[in-house]
Amino acid sequence: MSDLIFGSTGVWFMMGAVLVFFMQAGFAMVETGFTRAKNAGNIIMKNLMDFCIGTVVFVLLGAGLLLGEDALFGLIGVPNLRLFTDFENYDWGNFVFNLVFCATAATIVSGAMAERTKFSSYIIYSGVISAVVYPIEAHWVWGGGWLTRLGANLFGEGSPEFVDFAGSAAIHMVGGIAALIGAIILGPRLGKYVKSKDGKVKVNAIPGHSLTLGALGVFILWFCWYGFNGAAAGDAVSLAQILATTTVAAGVATCSTMFFTWIKNGKPDVSMTLNGSLAGLVAVTAGCANVDCLGAAIIGLIAGILVVVAVEFLDLKLHIDDPVGAVGVHCVNGMFGALAVGLFDRVNGVFYGGGFRLLIIQIIGVAAIAAWTAVTMTIAFKIIQKTNGLRVSKEEEIKGLDSTEHGLMSAYADFASSVEHIYDNDEEAAEITGTVPVDVAVPVQLATAPAPHKAVASDVKMTKIEIICKQSRFEALKNAMTSIGITGMTVTNVLGFGAQGGGKEMYRGVEVQVNLLPKIQVEIVVCKVPVKTVIETAKKVLYTGNIGDGKIFVYDVENVIKVRTGEEGYDALQDVE
């Protein structure tokens, strides 16, 4: 019965694989939210295709390298042709499980190289990761390769072996190292780092367009991580422990990041705190089955701080542009998580009286996996750069990859104006009705001799008052205008630039130059209500004595025409039927 639930083809094992697949949605949302809207469709396409391309190459080559028998001194496996011929005896459970893990390693890379990578190049290097890079090092760890025997070979039989239960090193560190190398070779986004005349480099923040999507992605990933870490549990007790340590590490890491950025920057950083959740999950992945809750809490505490330090060090000191923090989350904390097992393993960890043997084994294993990934991905990226090209042109990057790479005007329909495409012929237009015939109301018929009781534009002085104010004061302004008899106004959300440049705000450790501040623009045309009354009322409502209270502009208006009736001047401004 236990095998039916927890074995390599058990129900829970397969459910875990399904949850790991759904992590693709989480990664897609995180990466989309942390980047700009003009590249959202490109990010979605990459996360879709790295799994699909990965499936093809994993079937053709990767699965054989991972699950095949040892060759070349036990370093790699040989392609297992039973994958295509022996359907009854092949371990399809392990195949599916390793396939979705393989896709996870590949998709990590897209976030660090987002917004400036050719789509064709992404498909190529994603395929390389799924076909060769991940399968070979994963074979070392889980397929019976040399790392599974390293402890016995170094310290004799009965010694601990390399531990990476769910892939801090084999998956996350591999994806993170590939992301780091790709970001270095690719170079930063335009405008990210600007060198001044004195040689100093100014780091500019490029905020993502939707932290809401980013947060949704984090919650999806956290939920799916229970399958990521727990699917290989051997029984219910082990599963419960894994889920507990996973939750504790992530929760503590999130708190750690929040308080660290709060103390450091004066305010808790939303995007970095989201990264902190992922950092805790990544760090505990290697030891989730081997550490207790106290160890998981300490791992999470360190991971939450480590991700902030890593992200800011790469950005501010090394000037490596990683839009989503993939290197800090996956590379740095993947490496830390694998090494932390040597410290916090309940049996063989240094802090639990197990000596240094496991820690030494973990160091060797992490170094070998890191070296393999760094060498192969450097070669792969360099070849792609010299042949197909790795980066889009400056013009394409400025326009956005949605339009230039995919012919997509926008991944968000409402962002693009397409009014000219709404109607193909006159019959499709909405029927126009009203109390005044349209040929009289539009175009307006100018009266040559107005009736004595009618006021026209030249009879009454009309004034346009334009008010720029804080968004928070709009309701008070609207109510005040209504109270003095203003019955109509035009309201627009605008961005304002002032010499003060806005207040100092931080995004992912980088000061955001708030040159454009959100404002409300209110336009009012008056003739009956005195202009001075409007101005004094507005000043009274908007004044706080602080920078940014707003400005009031006054213009003469030549004429006003009501489209529905054709009335002009004073009459056009009245709302009386």
Side-chain angles (χ1 to χ4, degrees):
M1 185 66 175
S2 180
D3 288 342
L4 292 176
I5 299 175
F6 294 102
S8 63
T9 57
V11 175
W12 168 245
F13 189 73
M14 290 293 93
M15 285 179 62
V18 172
L19 285 173
V20 175
F21 165 76
F22 193 52
M23 293 180 83
Q24 293 293 127
F27 280 115
M29 294 300 97
V30 169
E31 293 169 15
T32 301
F34 280 20
T35 52
R36 289 169 288 187
K38 63 183 179 180
N39 300 305
N42 178 258
I43 295 291
I44 298 298
M45 192 71 168
K46 287 177 178 177
N47 279 270
L48 171 66
M49 293 313 301
D50 66 41
F51 180 82
C52 296
I53 294 295
T55 297
V56 174
V57 299
F58 192 73
V59 167
L60 295 175
L61 179 61
L65 294 175
L66 199 163
L67 302 172
E69 298 176 359
D70 281 353
L72 298 180
F73 308 103
L75 295 181
I76 64 173
V78 294
N80 193 335
L81 298 181
R82 289 188 302 157
L83 179 62
F84 305 101
T85 59
D86 193 357
F87 287 92
E88 293 183 0
N89 297 319
Y90 194 79
D91 189 349
W92 292 108
N94 272 328
F95 167 77
V96 171
F97 193 71
N98 280 283
L99 169 61
V100 293
F101 271 74
C102 180
T104 301
T107 200
I108 290 169
V109 185
S110 83
M113 300 176 66
E115 303 200 286
R116 71 263 200 215
T117 305
K118 284 186 176 181
F119 181 69
S120 57
S121 298
Y122 179 81
I123 290 177
I124 295 170
Y125 71 70
S126 179
V128 171
I129 294 172
S130 297
V132 179
V133 178
Y134 170 78
I136 288 179
E137 55 85 12
H139 176 79
W140 298 348
V141 179
W142 298 313
W146 66 277
L147 279 180
T148 60
R149 302 183 296 273
L150 179 61
N153 291 335
L154 286 178
F155 303 111
E157 293 297 329
S159 299
E161 301 298 344
F162 182 76
V163 176
D164 191 2
F165 186 79
S168 286
I171 297 172
H172 295 285
M173 186 185 73
V174 167
I177 289 175
L180 174 62
I181 294 169
I184 292 173
I185 295 175
L186 189 63
R189 289 168 292 176
L190 295 175
K192 177 61 179 174
Y193 307 112
V194 180
K195 183 175 289 188
S196 60
K197 293 180 180 180
D198 59 3
K200 294 182 179 180
V201 176
K202 181 179 182 298
V203 181
N204 293 315
I206 305 179
H209 83 282
S210 176
L211 281 180
T212 305
L213 283 180
L216 175 63
V218 170
F219 280 116
I220 290 173
L221 287 171
W222 192 330
F223 170 70
C224 294
W225 225 287
Y226 292 123
F228 193 94
N229 283 1
D235 53 51
V237 174
S238 176
L239 175 61
Q241 177 200 328
I242 291 169
L243 300 188
T245 55
T246 299
T247 305
V248 168
V252 172
T254 306
C255 294
S256 174
T257 301
M258 181 189 72
F259 285 116
F260 184 64
T261 57
W262 201 336
I263 295 169
K264 181 176 176 294
N265 301 328
K267 295 179 182 178
D269 190 312
V270 178
S271 68
M272 281 304 310
T273 302
L274 293 171
N275 274 155
S277 300
L278 300 180
L281 291 165
V282 168
V284 80
T285 291
C288 58
N290 297 68
V291 302
D292 56 23
C293 277
L294 176 59
I298 298 173
I299 290 172
L301 178 68
I302 297 172
I305 297 174
L306 192 59
V307 67
V308 179
V309 174
V311 167
E312 294 187 4
F313 180 74
L314 260 66
D315 194 14
L316 301 176
K317 300 299 182 183
L318 300 184
H319 301 145
I320 298 172
D321 187 15
D322 177 4
V324 305
V327 177
V329 170
H330 298 281
C331 175
V332 175
N333 276 288
M335 185 178 297
F336 163 68
L339 296 176
V341 178
L343 302 173
F344 297 100
D345 184 283
R346 291 172 297 166
V347 176
N348 298 302
V350 173
F351 296 147
Y352 288 75
F356 288 88
R357 291 183 301 173
L358 179 58
L359 180 60
I360 293 171
I361 293 168
Q362 296 296 112
I363 293 172
I364 295 173
V366 167
I369 296 171
W372 161 253
T373 305
V375 170
T376 52
M377 288 310 300
T378 299
I379 294 172
F381 281 128
K382 286 295 186 180
I383 292 175
I384 294 171
Q385 187 180 45
K386 295 295 183 181
T387 54
N388 186 70
L390 195 58
R391 183 168 183 149
V392 299
S393 67
K394 290 184 178 179
E395 292 75 16
E396 290 173 320
E397 184 177 343
I398 292 170
K399 288 181 180 179
L401 304 190
D402 284 4
S403 60
T404 58
E405 289 276 65
H406 306 285
L408 183 67
M409 184 168 289
S410 172
Y412 301 90
D414 290 343
F415 278 26
S417 176
S418 56
V419 175
E420 66 274 17
H421 301 301
I422 293 178
Y423 305 122
D424 293 329
N425 52 62
D426 293 338
E427 286 73 24
E428 292 181 19
E431 182 181 359
I432 300 174
T433 61
T435 58
V436 178
V438 68
D439 59 341
V440 175
V442 183
V444 173
Q445 302 299 310
L446 297 177
T448 56
H453 66 280
K454 284 284 187 180
V456 295
S458 59
D459 296 331
V460 180
K461 177 176 174 58
M462 292 175 293
T463 305
K464 177 184 175 183
I465 303 168
E466 185 178 284
I467 303 170
I468 308 293
C469 66
K470 295 177 180 178
Q471 292 176 331
S472 61
R473 302 303 300 161
F474 171 66
E475 283 298 321
L477 177 66
K478 181 181 70 173
N479 294 334
M481 291 297 104
T482 302
S483 70
I484 62 173
I486 300 298
T487 58
M489 60 181 69
T490 301
V491 182
T492 310
N493 283 303
V494 296
L495 294 175
F497 172 80
Q500 73 274 10
K504 179 180 177 181
E505 298 292 347
M506 306 295 289
Y507 177 78
R508 303 179 72 79
V510 179
E511 182 178 346
V512 180
Q513 298 299 316
V514 191
N515 292 323
L516 292 176
L517 302 175
K519 298 284 186 179
I520 289 289
Q521 177 177 304
V522 179
E523 296 174 289
I524 304 169
V525 177
V526 297
C527 59
K528 184 177 180 180
V529 179
V531 174
K532 186 175 181 180
T533 301
V534 176
I535 293 174
E536 292 302 320
T537 302
K539 287 168 58 179
K540 183 177 180 181
V541 171
L542 300 178
Y543 179 78
T544 67
N546 298 316
I547 292 175
D549 277 349
K551 289 182 174 64
I552 300 173
F553 302 89
V554 181
Y555 308 89
D556 287 333
V557 176
E558 182 176 342
N559 198 3
V560 176
I561 301 162
K562 184 181 287 187
V563 173
R564 180 173 61 85
T565 64
E567 293 174 297
E568 298 185 45
Y570 178 90
D571 292 328
L573 290 178
Q574 308 312 305
D575 287 334
V576 180
E577 293 296 333

